[in-house]
Each structure stands twice: as structure tokens, then as C-alpha cells.
Short mmCIF file of all heavy atoms in Angstrom, two decimals:
data_model
loop_
_atom_site.label_atom_id
_atom_site.label_comp_id
_atom_site.label_asym_id
_atom_site.label_seq_id
_atom_site.Cartn_x
_atom_site.Cartn_y
_atom_site.Cartn_z
N TYR D 472 92.80 94.69 103.40
CA TYR D 472 92.89 94.23 104.79
C TYR D 472 91.60 94.47 105.58
O TYR D 472 91.27 93.70 106.47
CB TYR D 472 94.10 94.84 105.49
CG TYR D 472 95.37 94.17 105.06
CD1 TYR D 472 96.24 94.77 104.18
CD2 TYR D 472 95.68 92.89 105.50
CE1 TYR D 472 97.39 94.14 103.75
CE2 TYR D 472 96.83 92.24 105.08
CZ TYR D 472 97.68 92.87 104.22
OH TYR D 472 98.81 92.23 103.79
N THR D 473 90.86 95.51 105.25
CA THR D 473 89.59 95.72 105.93
C THR D 473 88.54 94.72 105.44
O THR D 473 87.79 94.17 106.24
CB THR D 473 89.09 97.18 105.79
OG1 THR D 473 88.98 97.50 104.41
CG2 THR D 473 90.02 98.14 106.49
N ALA D 474 88.52 94.44 104.14
CA ALA D 474 87.54 93.50 103.60
C ALA D 474 87.90 92.05 103.92
O ALA D 474 87.04 91.25 104.28
CB ALA D 474 87.41 93.68 102.09
N ALA D 475 89.18 91.68 103.78
CA ALA D 475 89.59 90.29 103.96
C ALA D 475 89.58 89.86 105.42
O ALA D 475 89.15 88.75 105.74
CB ALA D 475 90.98 90.07 103.37
N PHE D 476 90.05 90.73 106.31
CA PHE D 476 90.24 90.32 107.70
C PHE D 476 89.40 91.12 108.70
O PHE D 476 89.51 90.93 109.90
CB PHE D 476 91.72 90.44 108.08
CG PHE D 476 92.63 89.61 107.22
CD1 PHE D 476 93.83 90.12 106.79
CD2 PHE D 476 92.29 88.32 106.83
CE1 PHE D 476 94.69 89.37 105.99
CE2 PHE D 476 93.14 87.55 106.03
CZ PHE D 476 94.34 88.08 105.62
N GLY D 477 88.58 92.04 108.21
CA GLY D 477 87.70 92.78 109.10
C GLY D 477 88.41 93.78 110.00
O GLY D 477 87.88 94.16 111.03
N LEU D 478 89.60 94.21 109.61
CA LEU D 478 90.33 95.20 110.40
C LEU D 478 89.72 96.58 110.19
O LEU D 478 89.06 96.84 109.17
CB LEU D 478 91.81 95.20 110.03
CG LEU D 478 92.51 93.85 110.29
CD1 LEU D 478 93.94 93.90 109.76
CD2 LEU D 478 92.48 93.49 111.76
N THR D 479 89.96 97.48 111.14
CA THR D 479 89.37 98.81 111.10
C THR D 479 90.46 99.87 111.06
O THR D 479 91.37 99.84 111.89
CB THR D 479 88.51 99.03 112.37
OG1 THR D 479 87.53 97.99 112.43
CG2 THR D 479 87.82 100.38 112.34
N PRO D 480 90.39 100.81 110.12
CA PRO D 480 91.37 101.91 110.10
C PRO D 480 91.27 102.71 111.39
O PRO D 480 90.17 103.01 111.87
CB PRO D 480 90.95 102.76 108.90
CG PRO D 480 90.09 101.86 108.06
CD PRO D 480 89.44 100.91 109.01
N ALA D 481 92.42 103.05 111.96
CA ALA D 481 92.44 103.82 113.20
C ALA D 481 93.08 105.19 112.96
O ALA D 481 92.39 106.19 112.96
CB ALA D 481 93.18 103.06 114.30
N ARG D 482 94.38 105.22 112.75
CA ARG D 482 95.09 106.49 112.58
C ARG D 482 95.85 106.50 111.26
O ARG D 482 96.47 105.51 110.89
CB ARG D 482 96.12 106.69 113.69
CG ARG D 482 95.55 106.79 115.06
CD ARG D 482 96.63 107.06 116.07
NE ARG D 482 97.49 105.88 116.21
CZ ARG D 482 98.58 105.84 116.97
NH1 ARG D 482 98.96 106.91 117.64
NH2 ARG D 482 99.29 104.75 117.06
N SER D 483 95.81 107.64 110.59
CA SER D 483 96.69 107.86 109.45
C SER D 483 98.02 108.34 110.01
O SER D 483 98.05 109.15 110.94
CB SER D 483 96.13 108.93 108.51
OG SER D 483 95.01 108.42 107.84
N LEU D 484 99.09 107.86 109.44
CA LEU D 484 100.43 108.25 109.86
C LEU D 484 101.06 109.01 108.70
O LEU D 484 101.85 108.46 107.94
CB LEU D 484 101.25 107.02 110.26
CG LEU D 484 100.58 106.13 111.31
CD1 LEU D 484 101.36 104.85 111.52
CD2 LEU D 484 100.41 106.88 112.62
N GLY D 485 100.65 110.24 108.53
CA GLY D 485 101.09 111.02 107.39
C GLY D 485 100.48 110.47 106.12
O GLY D 485 99.44 109.81 106.13
N ASP D 486 101.15 110.73 105.01
CA ASP D 486 100.64 110.26 103.72
C ASP D 486 101.01 108.81 103.43
O ASP D 486 100.46 108.22 102.51
CB ASP D 486 101.20 111.13 102.58
CG ASP D 486 100.66 112.54 102.64
OD1 ASP D 486 99.56 112.74 103.18
OD2 ASP D 486 101.36 113.44 102.13
N GLY D 487 101.94 108.24 104.21
CA GLY D 487 102.46 106.93 103.84
C GLY D 487 102.21 105.83 104.84
O GLY D 487 102.83 104.77 104.73
N GLY D 488 101.33 106.02 105.80
CA GLY D 488 101.10 104.96 106.77
C GLY D 488 99.68 104.95 107.29
O GLY D 488 99.01 105.98 107.33
N LEU D 489 99.23 103.78 107.68
CA LEU D 489 97.89 103.63 108.21
C LEU D 489 97.91 102.55 109.28
O LEU D 489 98.44 101.45 109.05
CB LEU D 489 96.90 103.24 107.10
CG LEU D 489 95.46 103.00 107.54
CD1 LEU D 489 94.82 104.29 108.07
CD2 LEU D 489 94.65 102.43 106.39
N GLU D 490 97.33 102.85 110.42
CA GLU D 490 97.18 101.89 111.51
C GLU D 490 95.83 101.19 111.36
O GLU D 490 94.80 101.86 111.19
CB GLU D 490 97.25 102.62 112.84
CG GLU D 490 97.05 101.72 114.05
CD GLU D 490 97.04 102.53 115.33
OE1 GLU D 490 96.17 103.45 115.45
OE2 GLU D 490 97.88 102.26 116.20
N LEU D 491 95.85 99.86 111.43
CA LEU D 491 94.63 99.07 111.40
C LEU D 491 94.50 98.32 112.72
O LEU D 491 95.47 97.73 113.20
CB LEU D 491 94.65 98.07 110.24
CG LEU D 491 94.72 98.65 108.83
CD1 LEU D 491 94.85 97.53 107.80
CD2 LEU D 491 93.50 99.51 108.54
N LEU D 492 93.31 98.33 113.27
CA LEU D 492 93.05 97.64 114.53
C LEU D 492 92.01 96.55 114.33
O LEU D 492 91.30 96.54 113.34
CB LEU D 492 92.56 98.64 115.58
CG LEU D 492 93.51 99.79 115.91
CD1 LEU D 492 92.87 100.72 116.93
CD2 LEU D 492 94.85 99.28 116.40
N GLY D 493 91.93 95.66 115.31
CA GLY D 493 90.95 94.58 115.27
C GLY D 493 91.60 93.23 115.49
O GLY D 493 90.91 92.22 115.66
N ALA D 494 92.91 93.17 115.50
CA ALA D 494 93.64 91.95 115.83
C ALA D 494 94.28 92.15 117.20
O ALA D 494 94.17 93.22 117.80
CB ALA D 494 94.72 91.69 114.76
N GLN D 495 94.97 91.15 117.71
CA GLN D 495 95.60 91.27 119.01
C GLN D 495 96.80 92.20 119.00
O GLN D 495 97.24 92.66 120.04
CB GLN D 495 96.00 89.90 119.53
CG GLN D 495 94.79 89.06 119.90
CD GLN D 495 95.16 87.67 120.32
OE1 GLN D 495 96.08 87.07 119.78
NE2 GLN D 495 94.44 87.15 121.29
N ALA D 496 97.32 92.48 117.83
CA ALA D 496 98.41 93.45 117.67
C ALA D 496 98.02 94.41 116.56
O ALA D 496 97.40 93.99 115.57
CB ALA D 496 99.72 92.75 117.32
N PRO D 497 98.36 95.69 116.69
CA PRO D 497 98.04 96.62 115.60
C PRO D 497 98.85 96.29 114.35
O PRO D 497 99.98 95.83 114.43
CB PRO D 497 98.41 97.99 116.16
CG PRO D 497 99.20 97.74 117.39
CD PRO D 497 99.01 96.33 117.81
N LEU D 498 98.23 96.51 113.22
CA LEU D 498 98.89 96.28 111.94
C LEU D 498 99.09 97.64 111.27
O LEU D 498 98.16 98.44 111.20
CB LEU D 498 98.00 95.39 111.07
CG LEU D 498 98.63 94.84 109.80
CD1 LEU D 498 98.09 93.45 109.54
CD2 LEU D 498 98.36 95.73 108.63
N TYR D 499 100.31 97.91 110.83
CA TYR D 499 100.63 99.18 110.19
C TYR D 499 100.96 98.92 108.73
O TYR D 499 101.87 98.15 108.41
CB TYR D 499 101.82 99.85 110.89
CG TYR D 499 101.47 100.29 112.28
CD1 TYR D 499 101.65 99.44 113.36
CD2 TYR D 499 100.91 101.54 112.51
CE1 TYR D 499 101.30 99.83 114.64
CE2 TYR D 499 100.56 101.94 113.78
CZ TYR D 499 100.75 101.08 114.84
OH TYR D 499 100.39 101.48 116.10
N LEU D 500 100.20 99.54 107.85
CA LEU D 500 100.49 99.49 106.42
C LEU D 500 101.41 100.66 106.11
O LEU D 500 101.10 101.80 106.44
CB LEU D 500 99.19 99.61 105.61
CG LEU D 500 98.15 98.53 105.87
CD1 LEU D 500 96.89 98.83 105.08
CD2 LEU D 500 98.69 97.15 105.54
N LEU D 501 102.54 100.37 105.50
CA LEU D 501 103.54 101.39 105.18
C LEU D 501 103.74 101.43 103.68
O LEU D 501 104.20 100.45 103.08
CB LEU D 501 104.86 101.06 105.89
CG LEU D 501 104.77 100.87 107.41
CD1 LEU D 501 106.11 100.42 107.97
CD2 LEU D 501 104.27 102.13 108.08
N GLN D 502 103.39 102.55 103.08
CA GLN D 502 103.53 102.66 101.62
C GLN D 502 105.00 102.82 101.26
O GLN D 502 105.67 103.74 101.70
CB GLN D 502 102.73 103.86 101.11
CG GLN D 502 102.74 103.94 99.59
CD GLN D 502 101.65 104.85 99.09
OE1 GLN D 502 100.47 104.59 99.30
NE2 GLN D 502 102.04 105.92 98.44
N GLN D 503 105.48 101.87 100.47
CA GLN D 503 106.86 101.85 99.99
C GLN D 503 106.82 101.46 98.51
O GLN D 503 106.32 100.40 98.17
CB GLN D 503 107.71 100.82 100.76
CG GLN D 503 107.73 101.03 102.25
CD GLN D 503 108.56 102.23 102.67
OE1 GLN D 503 109.30 102.82 101.87
NE2 GLN D 503 108.44 102.62 103.91
#
């Protein structure tokens, strides 16, 4: 997501989540 869409990691949400910014809405990657 950082390479394809130029999003930037913002906050880690524990071991299983990551907030990405750079779009009009934040994108959260959730490891499942």
C-alpha cells in the first residue's frame, strides 16, 4: 500500500494493525 498508492504509515495499533495516511480517509490494515 505504501509503494502502490503512496500512503504513509502513521500509527501502529498493537501487533496486528497499522494506520496509513495520505488519502481522504485513513486506511487501517488489520492482520487477520
Side-chain angles (χ1 to χ4, degrees):
Y472 284 104
T473 57
F476 302 139
L478 299 174
T479 304
R482 297 183 291 176
S483 290
L484 307 172
D486 293 334
L489 178 65
E490 178 184 58
L491 297 176
L492 301 178
Q495 290 176 323
L498 190 145
Y499 293 89
L500 301 176
L501 305 174
Q502 185 164 298
Q503 303 287 349

